[in-house]
């Protein structure tokens, strides 16, 4: 049948099982929006307050479900407003397809109104991108975009379509889309045997889980593997929930704001088993001293991550789930009683603590965990509150912690929480923000109200840019250059003006009372929590220092 380019895009979305898209219309994309109008019963369109919010919402939808998130924007500034969200998804390996529409083919390259080379701009921050100048190529390109976004290490793909291509017609033949196969042909028997031998020789192993464990849906396989190895488990920011954070052998996050137990254990272990983690600088601190007493076994789907930042001893390349399914068949049951007892003693000696007086970020996060029984989906912005959310909420399931790890995007969490709440209507979604981050994209509260979402927005307000101030306190002689937010912004009134319920808490008892009301609410609820400006995230490793040189509040 003959269809316009806009109709083909819609049919391709339906082929992929897309039920929700996030976006903002404009002149160049009007043909596509006209078709969306006609298919509103099949594809839900969420109009965000800003295109960046649309990209973050598509990201949150994807992270919380494992499906491909989809966002739309028009040409020029509409497309460029997606860039931060696309880069966020790229750094954290999130499957996303961003669809932009450009000026007509004949107007490209002529500085036309709202023309921008969005494929050139996004080339470094996408797995692949396309500009489709011929309607005959559109269906194949859309299908390829979704395949690339999901295959191997996931990531964002951009498809830019000139306006006349969305209007032109061509023959369209629908097809049945098959789910991409997991990467398994790179899993070599010799690599599996070498890994099993390293594990059998180890006396003090530790398992280090990253975002790949979440992305590959390998939680069950990780749990079985950890039991076979008889090892403690630490994780990255992105790996939260891949292993149950309430287990006794879980030691917490590793790295700059990791637990003292995790950092010391990695420095003391004789085998570090790395599952789907990329050795971020925030994890290893000082590369020369990192896990210097250990052999390192790395399991990853992306061969580019092998020996990139840290020299390793053995690797297995392939999808985490597929690797562990095979490894669990050949690894013999291990036993490390003395090592495991040592880990438990360190956990008792070096617990996470909150040295603050009065209402604090850790108190708020612990209360959220207790009052949700750890069953909520938590999203965050970036900064001190993000670290407290990682430290003091014990994530029991994967895809329940959504945060910008690689790019560190302030303004990410609220959009992500909207995407996650729409994708998971039966779960409670809570975004934890700092006041500096909330300012960046707080207009998305209006989106949450329009969509009647029951999400909860917690703003931990210390009236400063907390994490930057912490660095200024510790490393810049307390010179607080432009990090003090001592203005008269009233987040409660602003939230109410956008249609949300909103209250302010200054004590933990007030927070508990308000949070209980928020949990019962069926509409967006904003809770501002006022804390001290000088509260800090502890423990902390100074940049470039070995991870066992951990500072506490006492230090």
């Amino acid at each position: 049948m003959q269809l316009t380019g806009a109709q083909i895009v819609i049919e391709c979305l339906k082929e992929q099982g897309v039920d929700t898209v996030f976006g903002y219309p404009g002149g160049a994309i009007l043909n596509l929006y006209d078709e969306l109008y006609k298919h509103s019963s099949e594809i839900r369109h969420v109009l965000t307050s800003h295109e960046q919010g649309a990209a973050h919402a598509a990201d949150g939808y994807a992270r919380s479900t494992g499906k491909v998130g989809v966002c739309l924007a028009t040409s020029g500034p509409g497309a460029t407003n997606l860039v931060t969200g696309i880069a966020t998804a790229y750094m954290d390996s999130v499957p996303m397809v961003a669809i932009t529409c450009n000026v007509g083919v004949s107007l490209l390259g002529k500085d036309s109104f709202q023309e921008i080379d969005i494929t050139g701009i996004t080339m470094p921050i996408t797995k692949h991108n396309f500009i489709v100048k011929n309607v005959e190529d559109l269906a194949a390109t859309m299908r390829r975009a979704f395949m690339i976004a999901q295959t191997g290490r996931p990531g964002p793909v951009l498809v830019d379509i000139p306006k006349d291509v969305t209007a032109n017609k061509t023959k369209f033949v629908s097809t049945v889309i098959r789910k991409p196969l997991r990467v398994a042909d790179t899993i070599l028997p010799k690599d599996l045997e070498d890994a099993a031998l390293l594990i059998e020789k180890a006396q003090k192993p530790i398992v280090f889980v990253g975002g790949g464990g979440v992305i590959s849906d390998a939680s069950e396989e990780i749990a079985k593997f950890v039991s076979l190895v008889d090892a403690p488990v630490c994780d990255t920011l992105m790996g939260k929930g891949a292993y149950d954070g309430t287990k006794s052998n879980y030691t917490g996050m590793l790295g700059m704001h990791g637990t003292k137990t995790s950092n010391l254990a990695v420095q003391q272990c004789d085998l570090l088993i790395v599952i789907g983690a990329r050795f971020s600088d925030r994890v290893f601190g000082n590369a020369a001293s990192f896990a210097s007493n250990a052999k390192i076994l790395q399991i990853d789907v992306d061969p580019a991550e092998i020996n990139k930042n840290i020299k390793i001893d053995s690797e297995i390349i392939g999808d985490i789930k597929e690797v562990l399914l095979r490894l669990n068949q050949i690894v013999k049951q291990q036993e490390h009683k003395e090592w495991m007892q040592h880990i438990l003693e360190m956990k008792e000696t070096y617990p996470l603590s909150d040295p603050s007086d009065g209402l604090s970020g850790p108190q708020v996060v612990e209360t959220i965990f207790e009052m949700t029984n750890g069953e909520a989906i938590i999203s965050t912005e970036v900064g001190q509150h993000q670290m407290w959310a990682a430290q003091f909420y014990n994530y029991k399931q994967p895809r329940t912690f959504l945060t910008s790890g690689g790019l560190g995007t302030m303004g990410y969490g609220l959009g992500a929480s909207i995407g996650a709440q729409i994708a998971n209507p039966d779960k409670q979604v809570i975004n934890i923000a700092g006041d500096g981050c909330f300012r960046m994209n707080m207009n998305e509260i209006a989106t949450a109200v329009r969509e009647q979402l029951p999400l909860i927005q917690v703003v931990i307000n210390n009236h400063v840019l907390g994490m930057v101030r912490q660095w200024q306190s510790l490393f810049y002689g307390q010179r607080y250059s432009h990090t003090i937010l001592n203005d008269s912004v009233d987040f409660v009134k602003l939230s109410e003006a956008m249609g949300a319920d909103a209250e302010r808490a200054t004590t933990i008892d007030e927070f508990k009372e308000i949070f209980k009301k928020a949990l019962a609410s069926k509409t967006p609820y904003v809770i501002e929590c006022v804390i001290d400006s000088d509260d800090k995230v502890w423990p902390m490793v100074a940049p470039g220092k070995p991870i066992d040189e951990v500072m506490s509040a006492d230090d």
Side-chain angles (χ1 to χ4, degrees):
M1 58 183 165
Q2 292 283 319
L3 296 181
T4 66
Q7 291 171 326
I8 288 170
V9 171
I10 297 298
E11 292 304 316
C12 287
L13 293 177
K14 287 159 61 176
E15 282 181 352
Q16 299 289 339
V18 173
D19 54 20
T20 307
V21 297
F22 305 87
Y24 206 96
I29 201 170
L30 271 178
N31 291 333
L32 181 51
Y33 267 81
D34 195 47
E35 288 304 320
L36 273 172
Y37 180 87
K38 300 170 188 175
H39 292 268
S40 57
S41 62
E42 299 164 282
I43 299 176
R44 177 180 182 180
H45 177 274
V46 178
L47 176 65
T48 54
S49 298
H50 190 282
E51 290 93 350
Q52 188 182 132
H56 292 327
D59 178 305
Y61 181 99
R63 292 196 206 214
S64 65
T65 63
K67 300 177 183 178
V68 178
V70 179
C71 57
L72 312 175
T74 195
S75 63
T80 58
N81 281 344
L82 292 178
V83 167
T84 298
I86 293 171
T88 300
Y90 181 75
M91 291 291 283
D92 291 342
S93 303
V94 178
M96 177 195 293
V97 171
I99 301 170
T100 57
C101 287
N102 216 322
V103 299
V105 173
S106 65
L107 295 174
L108 290 171
K110 297 181 179 179
D111 294 332
S112 305
F113 177 67
Q114 290 195 333
E115 180 201 354
I116 199 75
D117 178 12
I118 194 62
T119 54
I121 288 171
T122 59
M123 189 174 293
I125 55 166
T126 52
K127 277 189 76 178
H128 200 77
N129 63 25
F130 304 89
I131 180 166
V132 186
K133 296 182 180 180
N134 192 319
V135 70
E136 282 82 9
D137 301 327
L138 184 55
T141 302
M142 287 293 297
R143 291 163 184 156
R144 189 177 172 204
F146 275 86
M147 181 63 70
I148 292 170
Q150 302 172 79
T151 303
R153 183 177 185 169
V157 178
L158 181 133
V159 182
D160 191 37
I161 313 168
K163 187 173 183 178
D164 50 348
V165 174
T166 66
N168 294 341
K169 288 187 174 183
T170 191
K171 184 178 180 182
F172 175 80
V173 179
S174 62
T175 187
V176 176
I177 302 298
R178 290 177 173 80
K179 192 174 181 180
L181 297 175
R182 293 178 178 272
V183 177
D185 56 350
T186 53
I187 305 173
L188 306 179
K190 176 68 164 57
D191 292 341
L192 293 169
E193 292 165 9
D194 289 347
L197 188 60
L198 278 175
I199 291 166
E200 288 170 18
K201 288 182 177 179
Q203 298 300 310
K204 297 186 291 182
I206 184 168
V207 176
F208 174 41
V209 181
V214 175
I215 292 167
S216 63
D217 295 315
S219 293
E220 290 184 15
E221 290 74 21
I222 290 171
K224 182 177 179 181
F225 177 74
V226 168
S227 178
L228 284 171
V229 177
D230 191 29
V233 179
C234 60
D235 58 17
T236 67
L237 192 67
M238 306 311 302
K240 293 289 174 187
Y243 187 77
D244 187 345
T246 64
K247 297 287 188 182
S248 62
N249 64 327
Y250 173 72
T251 63
M253 195 163 61
L254 178 67
M256 179 175 282
H257 291 294
T259 65
K260 195 165 187 177
T261 299
S262 291
N263 287 7
L264 292 176
V266 166
Q267 297 299 75
Q268 295 170 7
C269 75
D270 61 4
L271 177 62
L272 177 62
I273 304 170
V274 185
I275 299 177
R278 60 182 179 83
F279 290 119
S280 160
D281 57 297
R282 289 297 176 98
V283 162
F284 63 72
N286 181 287
S289 65
F290 180 77
S292 55
N293 297 311
K295 298 284 188 182
I296 300 179
L297 164 63
Q298 186 173 4
I299 303 170
D300 207 286
V301 74
D302 187 355
E305 292 299 336
I306 304 301
N307 292 318
K308 186 176 82 175
N309 294 328
I310 296 293
K311 179 70 176 174
I312 66 160
D313 299 280
S314 184
E315 75 271 1
I316 308 174
I317 305 299
D319 180 86
I320 302 297
K321 190 181 187 77
E322 288 295 323
V323 170
L324 292 180
L325 281 169
R326 302 179 191 193
L327 202 52
N328 287 342
Q329 293 177 349
I330 64 172
V331 171
K332 299 173 184 176
Q333 181 65 56
Q334 305 296 301
E335 187 175 11
H336 306 106
K337 285 185 178 179
E338 290 185 10
W339 173 237
M340 295 301 287
Q341 182 59 38
H342 174 64
I343 295 296
L344 293 175
E345 289 172 359
M346 280 205 295
K347 284 184 67 175
E348 291 181 8
T349 304
Y350 307 118
L352 284 172
S353 61
D354 176 19
S356 308
D357 295 325
L359 185 63
S360 69
Q363 284 181 13
V364 168
V365 173
E366 285 185 327
T367 300
I368 292 172
F369 175 76
E370 292 164 5
M371 294 184 69
T372 61
N373 193 33
E375 301 296 333
I377 294 176
I378 304 294
S379 64
T380 78
E381 310 293 344
V382 170
Q384 289 180 315
H385 65 276
Q386 177 191 32
M387 294 299 102
W388 289 324
Q391 292 174 329
F392 290 92
Y393 195 103
N394 297 317
Y395 299 90
K396 298 186 283 187
Q397 299 290 332
R399 303 194 182 281
T400 56
F401 183 56
L402 317 177
T403 195
S404 173
L407 196 63
T409 305
M410 295 174 70
Y412 163 81
L414 181 52
S417 70
I418 288 171
Q421 188 69 84
I422 287 171
N424 302 271
D426 298 327
K427 292 189 177 182
Q428 180 63 66
V429 178
I430 302 161
N431 183 49
I432 301 175
D435 52 319
C437 291
F438 186 56
R439 292 163 182 258
M440 293 203 168
N441 281 328
M442 63 184 171
N443 51 353
E444 298 303 340
I445 289 292
T447 306
V449 171
R450 187 190 309 113
E451 296 294 327
Q452 297 183 307
L453 304 178
L455 64 84
I456 299 172
Q457 168 68 65
V458 176
V459 183
I460 298 179
N461 187 358
N462 55 8
H463 295 95
V464 295
L465 299 177
M467 187 59 83
V468 187
R469 180 184 175 90
Q470 177 164 334
W471 280 52
Q472 289 173 332
S473 294
L474 298 175
F475 311 121
Y476 289 86
Q478 299 183 342
R479 295 181 295 278
Y480 301 122
S481 178
H482 302 287
T483 51
I484 300 172
L485 306 176
N486 57 347
D487 48 34
S488 301
V489 175
D490 188 324
F491 293 125
V492 172
K493 289 181 179 178
L494 276 169
S495 300
E496 289 174 340
M498 287 185 279
D501 291 323
E503 295 188 67
R504 182 177 294 109
T506 58
T507 68
I508 193 61
D509 289 336
E510 287 178 354
F511 176 74
K512 289 177 180 178
E513 182 180 341
I514 297 168
F515 191 69
K516 184 177 180 180
K517 287 189 285 184
L519 286 172
S521 176
K522 301 300 181 185
T523 55
Y525 216 107
V526 178
I527 309 173
E528 179 187 10
C529 302
V530 182
I531 70 168
D532 190 89
S533 297
D534 284 312
D535 283 0
K536 293 179 175 61
V537 178
W538 301 113
M540 181 180 184
V541 178
K545 295 291 185 181
I547 60 171
D548 52 352
E549 293 186 16
V550 188
M551 294 187 291
S552 66
D554 293 337
D555 298 324

